[in-house]
Structures are given as C-alpha cells and as structure tokens.
C-alpha cells in the first residue's frame, strides 16, 4: 500500500513524474517515479510505509497540473485468469481492511490508461464493473447510494485484461471523473471545437455551486484571440457581454446574440474600453508562454480584469520547468504589486501541447 498511480495524457509521463516527486518532497516524502513513456500513467513508489496514503490525502489534487487522477495502489496483480478475476481483487481489497474502512467506499471505477492500446480494454472494463460491483457489495462495501465527499472511490486500473492495480482515492481529493476525464458534450451551435477547452476549464476551476455568481448577465468579458468564437460562446452562454478581439472572423451566430462586440485588433495592444470594468479576461492566442504571462500580468496589475483563464502553449522540451518558471514569474509579479490572488493550472483533457491557467484576484479587504 505504498504507491501512487497517477493518470495523464499520453506523452506527459515525465512531467507527472517531476511534479509528483516535487510535491511529495514538499510533504517530506521521498520516493521513486516509475515512468514508461507513452503509457498514460506513472507509478510513484514511496520509500516509507503508509506514505502513499498520506500523499493522497495531503497533496491538494487541484495543485497537480499534469496528473488527471491520483490513486493509492498495491502491487500489480498479474496472471488474472479469465475464469475468475474477481477473487484475487476482492482478496487484495480485504488486505487493506486493517488499514482502511472500506465501508466508506462509494463507487468502483474499472479503468485503463488513456492510450489507444489500453482503450481497447474499455469494453471489458465496462462489462467487468457489473459483477465486480456486486461482489464488493456482498462484502458490505459500496453501500452508499450517493457519492459522499468524506468517502473513498475504489479503483481497478487494468493494464491488460490479466493485470491490474487495485486501489482507492479520496473523494475529497481526487478527480470526480472516471479515468480523470470529464465527459463534456459538444454544443451543436458552438462555432469551434475549442469551445470545450473553456468549458472544461470552468468546470475544473470554478466550483459548480459558485458558477452562477461568478458568471452573470451584468458581467463583461474580453476574449483575446477570439475567432471563430468557441470561447466567446461559453461566456455568452453564461450571460456575459464579450469584447472579442481578433483580426479574424467571428461566427455570425455570436453576432446574432447581440452580446458581443468584435474588435479586429492586436490582442497584445488591446485595452479595455474606457470606463468599463472587465470581470473576465480569457486568452487563447498561440504565442510564446513568456509573452502571454507578461500580457496577463499587465491586465491584472493594471486592474483591468478581476479574473482570467488563459492557455500557455508548452515548449517541445523541459515542459515542466517552463510551466514552473511561467507560474512563478506571474506569482512574483502579482505579489510585488501587493495583490492577493489564487492561481490554478491544469493540463486539461482538451489541452494538447498546452496547459490552462486560472487566476482570481482576491479582494484585499476580504483577506
Ligand atoms: C486557437 S485560435 C482561438 C480559438 C478560439 N478560442 C475559439 O474557441 O474559437 C487563436 C486565435 O488567436 C488569434 N491571434 C493570434 N495572435 C493574435 C494577436 N496578436 N491578436 C489578436 N488575435 C490573435 C488568431 O487569429 C486565432 O484566431
């Protein structure tokens, strides 16, 4: 019970390894990340007993940028027979009984890595879930009808149909999505597929219960690099009026809403119209990360916006270091101007060679 399994986008295993090693060290936990390139996951082995469980509770999941899910796992179960995979899995779960109250379990997710090869197992996973859930219930586990925040989710992470890791994650500190992937529906009237990136970002960064207060019809947004309008669409859908900045063409359907003004200008030079206080700045321009950080800093420091979501395109190499440098530069600049802020960053499912960052300025009076 001394390993973490972390899921990620294929090709980002080294970034996850670097990140979990750093985050674990911050908690005084040391270990070794096993990386298999293009596998879609990383196993982090802790040197001391019980420490994987501690990391799963104490590393705030929303501070991990590259990991999609974080699970405490046991050693790999291999040679599972097609006739009876359930008995060894139940036996493994029984092993943790002395350490953990499985009566707190609320769900079982039978998962694979997000790679083409592993996904070939997804039909098997779906079918296997039914008898496994039944067998777990017979043990007196998975008794809750609703997902409890204080509970745990059980995981079977299949590498092949004959090999899986068995483990659990804390509902209060994990991705609430199966395989760490939100299932978002592409809105038929959205102007571009990249609309899902902002939808995913809002789902990830803004608590659901706050969404209707953080996006209102009284608010104004600016979208830098807006065309054809997928991100603007998400803001308009949530009620905002949006200045859409781009030399390109915006979708006619967005003009028809009467909730946008298209500004065919350079996003690096654009300034908010006079006497307008911008609530949300979003930015999806394909540019060097350092230029974007400089631009976002300018908006926040000048008080031009209160909250922002933007993308940082990742370089080919040293992606983890570049992300750390960019976020540190931003944090240092905001702190230098005595601003109180919260920064979150995530390699979202809909992000490829980029990450998405959210910054919220906090009212200094509220602390
Ligand atoms: C990835 S696309 C944005 C897609 C958009 N978010 C959507 O969902 O439809 C990037 C856009 O940034 C624009 N862009 C790039 N550099 C720009 C700049 N300096 N000023 C304004 N727009 C820029 C491009 O014209 C392009 O339309």
């Amino acid at each position: 019970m001394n390993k973490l399994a972390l899921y990620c986008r294929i090709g980002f295993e080294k970034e996850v390894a670097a990140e979990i090693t750093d985050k674990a060290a911050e908690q005084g936990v040391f270990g070794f990340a096993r990386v298999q390139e293009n596998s879609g996951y990383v196993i982090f082995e802790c040197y001391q007993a019980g420490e994987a469980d501690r990391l799963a509770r104490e590393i705030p999941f929303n501070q991990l940028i590259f990991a999609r899910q974080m699970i405490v796992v046991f050693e790999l179960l291999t040679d599972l027979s097609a006739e009876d995979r359930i008995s060894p899995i139940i036996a493994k779960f029984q092993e943790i009984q002395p350490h953990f109250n499985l009566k707190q379990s609320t769900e079982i997710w039978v998962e694979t890595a997000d790679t083409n090869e592993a996904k070939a197992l997804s039909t098997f996973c779906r079918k296997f879930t039914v008898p496994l859930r039944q067998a777990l219930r017979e043990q007196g586990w998975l008794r809750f009808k609703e997902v409890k925040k204080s509970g745990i989710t059980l995981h079977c992470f299949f590498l092949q149909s004959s090999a899986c890791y068995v483990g659990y994650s804390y509902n209060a500190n994990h991705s609430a999505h199966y395989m760490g992937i939100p299932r978002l529906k592409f809105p038929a009237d959205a102007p571009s597929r990249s609309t899902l990136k902002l939808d995913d970002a809002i789902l990830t960064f803004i608590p659901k219960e706050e969404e209707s207060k953080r996006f209102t019809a009284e608010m104004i947004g600016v979208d830098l690099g807006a065309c054809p309008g997928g991100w603007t669409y998400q803001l308009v859908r949530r009620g905002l009026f949006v200045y859409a900045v781009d030399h390109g063409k915006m979708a006619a359907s967005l003009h028809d809403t009467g909730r946008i003004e298209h500004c065919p200008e350079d996003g690096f030079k654009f300034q908010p119209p006079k006497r307008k206080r911008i609530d949300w700045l979003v930015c999806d321009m394909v540019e060097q990360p350092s230029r974007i950080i400089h631009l976002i800093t300018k908006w926040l420091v000048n008080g031009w916006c209160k909250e922002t979501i933007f993308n940082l395109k990742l370089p080919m190499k040293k992606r983890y270091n570049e992300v750390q440098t960019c976020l540190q530069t931003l944090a240092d600049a905001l702190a230098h101007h005595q601003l109180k802020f919260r920064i979150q960053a995530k390699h979202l499912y809909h992000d490829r060679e980029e990450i998405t960052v959210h910054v919220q300025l906090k009212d200094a009076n509220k602390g």
Side-chain angles (χ1 to χ4, degrees), residues 191-195 197 223-232 245-248 265-268 283-287 291 313:
S192 64
R193 284 217 60 89
S194 55
T195 198
K197 288 196 284 182
D223 183 357
L224 301 177
C227 289
W231 283 33
T232 294
V245 183
D246 199 312
H247 283 291
E265 295 176 42
D266 182 349
F268 286 93
C283 174
D284 189 25
M285 292 190 289
V286 182
E287 254 298 340
R291 273 199 89 191
K313 310 292 163 195

